[in-house]
């Protein structure tokens, strides 16, 4: 994880989902910047672990390998799939 600045934004650079990622946010205090950056990157990694089609234990892999059988999903996944349907 790399933290930089551009204009009035802090930029967090990291890799997730086999891609370079950047998150821009506003924060003036350096100590808070590092804490916020860590939280944001942790959330991106959580989503990657949960929804990556490349990880065999992710919910997406479970659905893809279910051969049309019912797959139990949690509320977050249900809401995401329901939103995607719209």
């Amino acid at each position: 994880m790399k933290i930089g600045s551009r204009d009035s934004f802090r930029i967090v650079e990291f890799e997730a989902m086999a891609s370079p990622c950047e998150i821009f946010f506003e924060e003036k205090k350096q100590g808070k910047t590092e804490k916020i950056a860590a939280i944001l990157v942790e959330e991106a990694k959580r989503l990657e672990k949960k929804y990556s089609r490349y990880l065999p234990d992710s919910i997406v892999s479970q659905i893809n390998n279910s051969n049309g059988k019912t797959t139990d999903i949690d509320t977050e996944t249900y809401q995401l799939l329901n939103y995607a349907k719209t």
Side-chain angles (χ1 to χ4, degrees):
M1 174 176 73
K2 179 180 159 190
I3 302 172
S5 297
R6 188 178 311 149
D7 299 324
S8 64
F9 293 99
R10 299 289 187 186
I11 305 166
V12 182
E13 298 177 51
F14 62 100
E15 287 200 18
M17 300 165 233
S19 299
C21 300
E22 291 182 332
I23 300 174
F24 291 66
F25 63 97
E26 291 184 287
E27 179 54 57
K28 296 186 188 324
K29 296 179 183 175
Q30 184 62 31
K32 275 191 169 184
T33 296
E34 292 169 2
K35 289 177 186 176
I36 292 168
I39 291 167
L40 294 171
V41 170
E42 183 179 318
E43 179 64 4
K45 298 288 185 177
R46 181 190 74 80
L47 293 170
E48 176 181 32
K49 183 178 179 183
K50 187 172 185 178
Y51 296 113
S52 174
R53 65 185 173 133
Y54 300 106
L55 298 175
D57 59 339
S58 75
I59 188 63
V60 170
S61 291
Q62 291 173 30
I63 292 168
N64 287 344
N65 295 322
S66 69
N67 297 317
K69 295 178 184 163
T70 301
T71 303
D72 291 332
I73 58 173
D74 64 346
T75 302
E76 180 182 44
T77 302
Y78 172 79
Q79 290 172 339
L80 181 64
L81 292 173
N82 198 41
Y83 181 73
K85 191 168 62 171
T86 64

